[in-house]
Amino acid sequence: MGPSEEERERDVILISDDEDDGTLGNSVLIVDPLAKTALEEKKCEEVVDEECELMVTFCKQANVMPHARYDCTIHSFERMECETCSPIGKNADFCNQCYCYICDKLASECQIWTTSSLCHCNAHNKSKFWKDQRDFALAGVLVMFNLELTDIDADLRHGGNLLVSFIQELSVEYNKYLIGERIASTEHECFCVSKLPPGQCDTCRSRSTEIVYKYSGVFALVTRFLNQAEGESPKAAAVMLLGAAREITLHKDPALSWQNLGHTASLKLAVPCLLQRITTRLQKMLVLCDFPKSLYEKFINFFQSISLPCHCFAFSNSLNVVPWDHVLLTTVLKGQNTTGQRTQKGRKMFLWEVLPVIEARVEKLVENMNYKEVVRYLRAVKCNDTKGLRDLRDKIPFYLCKTGDFLDATHSLLFPINSLACCTACRLTPLQFEVYLKMFRTGSVPLGKDIQDPGPWVTVGSPMKDGVLIKQAFKLLYSNLSLYRNPKCWGSFIMIMGSSCFLGRNGHLRPLTVKEPPIAFQQLHQEACLILAVQAVQQMVICELPYLTSFLEIFLAFGNNFWALRLLLNHLSYDECILRGIVNLVLRDLNRQKATMLKLWQNLGPQYVGEFICLFLTCRNRILQSIGVLALDIITENLHVG
């Protein structure tokens, strides 16, 4: 039986995937139904396989579709590796469906189809030379990164276009630099017969003219381009930065002798400065940006292929950044390696990274809230910049607090990672000291990434017990002399110990009013929190009175617990010299901060103000009564206000 009428009208598509020389490459021929006479459409039968009873019973003439010139079935094509001088044989001939292999457009539209030394008509897919030409035509400047056409997306192509424009502008500016500026010496000596005075002989002036080469114009252009790159997408920025690095390392200093014109005008100073900025930015991008692995490796390989001049040798291994999946790094982050070193084939390997890379890793881990991994990494990694690494390690206690491990955080504050270094507590500021005590007291931490973040607080663990907190607070104060001598720190300590372990809705401490214990209890139970704090303040005052600059904060820190403040005053009254020093400091502060104190007392309410004044006025010691008198005078002088 022959095919039905419906089967006769179907399209037959023949696709050849054979790349051998004896085929037509990847050309596609579609057999379309054409209008034929009845005689032409008579079926012709041809047996193809007798055993399988396969027989061709129907066929039509093919319609040629668009194809590369070397695949044309109408005009013959001769292949050679890299002939560009003139067309070979009949390669210049083409049909109306022939496409240029290089330009990827119709052969009739190719501007250099038969141009001498460029002949695109000879291009074919069996030649490495012509393949490279095609890749360069399609990839543009990106071909120098050894990227596959499938790797190139819109971001990479955009970065390549910006790089091409920059290279053109840079070429013009660099040529200006090579010309230099001619500067005539004003004090040249005349060697002519006339022996004119210095600077007046034109002939000798022309001979003593000096050419100065200023790189400032190039430096400014490259700086603008780097600024532009920082605003682009990561892939585009990487292409721009790497391309700029390659171009500036090709620049040569034409001066025969050293010309120290400054870090922007002298090439040998300006180029390392620019490379430092480029490599630092690329190091952070390789850590922070999730580049595909193949693209990551090609960026690094491209930088390593740059031939660096002698004044840039220090940047040879700048982009040897350990990837996130490196064995040593992953074992450190998982806690399987706490030292940051391992032995491989008898050689010791260390987790050693430059500071920008360390900063980028910490930034990414903190962004993902992987605080335990941050602590493990900072404890194990090593760096040449010891001060920069120390500053990052000073945040380890805060990261431990974010995990709810407050006891380990206090140990990290007091014990250094390196036995030869000083502890983090030595560098605490009064504000940081207060925030740490607040975290230990409440079991809460700031929601932000920094210890001084003003945002809301969240509960992450259980508060420290009072006894442990007092012990750790004393250790911190005694480890840092500047904290120990600062009354604000003691005031913060007393205020926090007299506050609730639960934060208010706004994240502020909620002061507590502690009932005064009996005298017998105060004498027998010295472990009471406020009593211990009073005794510690008393000891600090006795030892450090010459260094104190203020004391009013300590008085105010007791809040409504006036019995504890009275206890402190009674202890200080035994030494009149110390008491006079304390009272003088308080009187000075009250006189200097009248407006501030009035506003504070207004917020605290009349009951607090009354008890505060009454406390001092009822003291038996007249020296202490002067504080109450001054406070009362300040209030009476401003009764008409508000």
Side-chain angles (χ1 to χ4, degrees):
M1 293 178 61
S4 64
E5 290 297 327
E6 182 180 355
E7 291 173 339
R8 293 174 185 172
E9 295 300 326
R10 288 179 180 171
D11 294 346
V12 180
I13 303 176
L14 304 178
I15 301 178
S16 174
D17 288 333
D18 193 357
E19 285 288 342
D20 294 336
D21 291 339
T23 68
L24 297 179
N26 291 329
S27 296
V28 179
L29 303 180
I30 300 181
V31 181
D32 293 330
L34 301 174
K36 297 286 184 178
T37 62
L39 181 62
E40 290 173 331
E41 290 191 352
K42 284 185 178 181
K43 278 68 74 178
C44 59
E45 297 183 357
E46 178 182 354
V47 177
V48 179
D49 191 335
E50 293 182 355
E51 295 182 1
C52 298
E53 298 181 356
L54 178 63
M55 178 181 296
V56 176
T57 61
F58 185 79
C59 64
K60 290 185 178 181
Q61 185 177 0
N63 182 26
V64 180
M65 299 298 291
H67 55 270
R69 169 62 185 87
Y70 56 81
D71 277 343
C72 186
T73 58
I74 299 176
H75 302 285
S76 60
F77 184 83
E78 298 182 26
R79 301 175 189 264
M80 290 188 67
E81 176 61 26
C82 57
E83 179 57 45
T84 59
C85 295
S86 59
I88 305 172
K90 298 183 179 180
N91 288 359
D93 299 338
F94 55 85
C95 68
N96 58 357
Q97 294 295 337
C98 282
Y99 268 69
C100 175
Y101 177 65
I102 305 299
C103 302
D104 205 24
K105 57 186 177 182
L106 285 171
S108 58
E109 298 177 2
C110 178
Q111 301 296 324
I112 49 179
W113 183 250
T114 57
T115 302
S116 179
S117 75
L118 294 172
C119 288
H120 282 187
C121 63
N122 296 330
H124 58 91
N125 64 342
K126 303 302 180 182
S127 166
K128 184 180 183 304
F129 170 79
W130 288 115
K131 282 185 177 180
D132 292 342
Q133 292 292 316
R134 174 181 171 83
D135 291 343
F136 185 79
L138 295 178
V141 73
L142 297 177
V143 73
M144 65 182 180
F145 294 94
N146 197 26
L147 298 175
E148 301 292 339
L149 293 179
T150 53
D151 296 334
I152 301 175
D153 56 13
D155 290 339
L156 289 173
R157 196 171 295 279
H158 176 62
N161 294 335
L162 294 175
L163 180 59
V164 170
S165 301
F166 166 71
I167 292 175
Q168 294 172 352
E169 296 178 15
L170 184 64
S171 177
V172 175
E173 197 64 39
Y174 180 58
N175 287 332
K176 294 180 182 178
Y177 162 73
L178 293 178
I179 296 174
E181 300 178 12
R182 295 184 177 273
I183 301 178
S185 176
T186 58
E187 297 298 330
H188 67 274
E189 184 179 355
C190 179
F191 295 97
C192 301
V193 179
S194 58
K195 286 292 182 179
L196 296 175
Q200 296 184 12
C201 180
D202 295 336
T203 304
C204 295
R205 182 188 294 113
S206 62
R207 293 175 181 173
S208 61
T209 299
E210 181 183 5
I211 301 178
V212 176
Y213 301 93
K214 293 184 178 181
Y215 199 72
S216 304
V218 180
F219 185 90
L221 176 62
V222 176
T223 301
R224 289 195 299 270
F225 184 68
L226 298 183
N227 293 339
Q228 181 183 8
E230 292 181 355
E232 298 293 338
S233 63
K235 289 183 178 179
V239 168
M240 296 168 69
L241 294 172
L242 288 169
R246 176 178 177 273
E247 292 301 316
I248 62 177
T249 54
L250 296 175
H251 292 175
K252 308 295 182 183
D253 188 353
L256 300 178
S257 60
W258 168 249
Q259 296 179 347
N260 188 4
L261 305 174
H263 73 283
T264 61
S266 296
L267 181 144
K268 293 182 180 179
L269 297 177
V271 171
C273 181
L274 293 170
L275 271 183
Q276 180 65 48
R277 178 179 176 182
I278 291 172
T279 54
T280 299
R281 180 61 181 166
L282 286 170
Q283 287 166 351
K284 292 186 176 183
M285 290 176 62
L286 291 175
V287 174
L288 295 174
C289 305
D290 297 323
F291 292 124
K293 186 175 182 179
S294 60
L295 189 61
Y296 181 99
E297 294 174 350
K298 287 179 180 179
F299 283 159
I300 296 178
N301 292 336
F302 174 80
F303 185 82
Q304 292 176 341
S305 68
I306 298 176
S307 180
L308 298 175
C310 59
H311 52 275
C312 297
F313 281 168
F315 300 95
S316 299
N317 299 317
S318 295
L319 292 194
N320 289 350
V321 179
V322 175
W324 282 102
D325 58 356
H326 190 271
V327 176
L328 181 55
L329 179 59
T330 54
T331 54
V332 167
L333 295 178
K334 292 179 180 179
Q336 300 168 353
N337 186 327
T338 59
T339 61
Q341 67 180 50
R342 64 192 292 259
T343 303
Q344 185 176 16
K345 297 181 180 180
R347 296 178 57 189
K348 284 189 176 181
M349 298 177 59
F350 296 89
L351 184 59
W352 197 289
E353 298 192 300
V354 295
L355 187 63
V357 173
I358 298 176
E359 292 174 340
R361 291 199 194 281
V362 171
E363 179 183 344
K364 188 164 187 177
L365 291 172
V366 171
E367 186 71 27
N368 296 331
M369 302 177 68
N370 298 324
Y371 299 111
K372 291 184 179 179
E373 287 81 352
V374 176
V375 174
R376 295 167 185 161
Y377 173 71
L378 287 176
R379 285 175 171 173
V381 72
K382 296 173 178 59
C383 179
N384 286 330
D385 191 344
T386 55
K387 184 180 182 302
L389 181 59
R390 186 194 69 183
D391 293 340
L392 291 174
R393 284 176 171 173
D394 283 347
K395 297 181 180 180
I396 287 179
F398 175 65
Y399 298 140
L400 288 171
C401 289
K402 297 281 275 188
T403 66
D405 193 350
F406 298 107
L407 190 58
D408 194 10
T410 59
H411 292 163
S412 296
L413 284 168
L414 297 167
F415 299 100
I417 296 175
N418 186 347
S419 59
L420 299 178
C422 58
C423 62
T424 302
C426 299
R427 295 178 291 276
L428 283 182
T429 64
L431 179 58
Q432 291 173 339
F433 172 75
E434 179 181 347
V435 174
Y436 273 118
L437 289 188
K438 182 178 176 181
M439 289 190 288
F440 299 156
R441 176 68 172 166
T442 63
S444 304
V445 295
L447 192 59
K449 304 175 185 177
D450 189 76
I451 190 173
Q452 300 180 9
D453 195 313
W457 285 50
V458 293
T459 302
V460 295
S462 301
M464 274 189 182
K465 294 182 179 180
D466 291 342
V468 177
L469 176 55
I470 292 175
K471 181 180 178 180
Q472 299 301 331
F474 284 163
K475 286 183 178 180
L476 293 177
L477 288 169
Y478 294 146
S479 299
N480 189 326
L481 186 59
S482 62
L483 296 182
Y484 183 75
R485 291 177 174 175
N486 194 328
K488 291 184 179 180
C489 297
W490 290 96
S492 300
F493 174 44
I494 295 173
M495 176 192 66
I496 290 172
M497 295 309 304
S499 301
S500 171
C501 59
F502 300 101
L503 290 175
R505 292 183 178 180
N506 54 1
H508 296 306
L509 290 168
R510 294 190 297 181
L512 293 178
T513 301
V514 182
K515 184 178 180 181
E516 180 180 2
I519 300 299
F521 179 87
Q522 297 180 26
Q523 295 175 350
L524 296 176
H525 301 277
Q526 298 296 322
E527 70 275 13
C529 297
L530 284 179
I531 296 177
L532 284 175
V534 167
Q535 292 176 343
V537 172
Q538 176 191 359
Q539 184 65 29
M540 183 272 297
V541 171
I542 294 174
C543 298
E544 304 296 334
L545 180 61
Y547 304 100
L548 296 180
T549 58
S550 177
F551 204 82
L552 184 60
E553 292 87 352
I554 295 179
F555 282 2
L556 298 176
F558 284 92
N560 292 319
N561 300 300
F562 293 104
W563 65 268
L565 178 56
R566 184 184 300 108
L567 182 63
L568 173 62
L569 296 176
N570 290 337
H571 287 180
L572 294 176
S573 298
Y574 292 114
D575 192 325
E576 186 173 343
C577 181
I578 292 178
L579 185 61
R580 285 184 180 277
I582 295 298
V583 171
N584 290 336
L585 289 175
V586 175
L587 294 176
R588 186 203 62 186
D589 291 342
L590 286 174
N591 281 311
R592 290 180 177 179
Q593 305 176 30
K594 290 182 179 180
T596 304
M597 294 305 302
L598 284 171
K599 186 175 181 180
L600 177 62
W601 286 336
Q602 186 177 5
N603 293 333
L604 293 174
Q607 182 177 355
Y608 173 88
V609 177
E611 292 187 18
F612 180 84
I613 296 175
C614 183
L615 171 66
F616 290 98
L617 291 178
T618 57
C619 287
R620 295 181 180 180
N621 194 308
R622 293 184 178 181
I623 300 176
L624 289 173
Q625 291 177 5
S626 61
I627 298 177
V629 172
L630 179 59
L632 189 59
D633 290 342
I634 294 175
I635 294 174
T636 54
E637 289 174 1
N638 295 273
L639 286 176
H640 63 283
V641 179

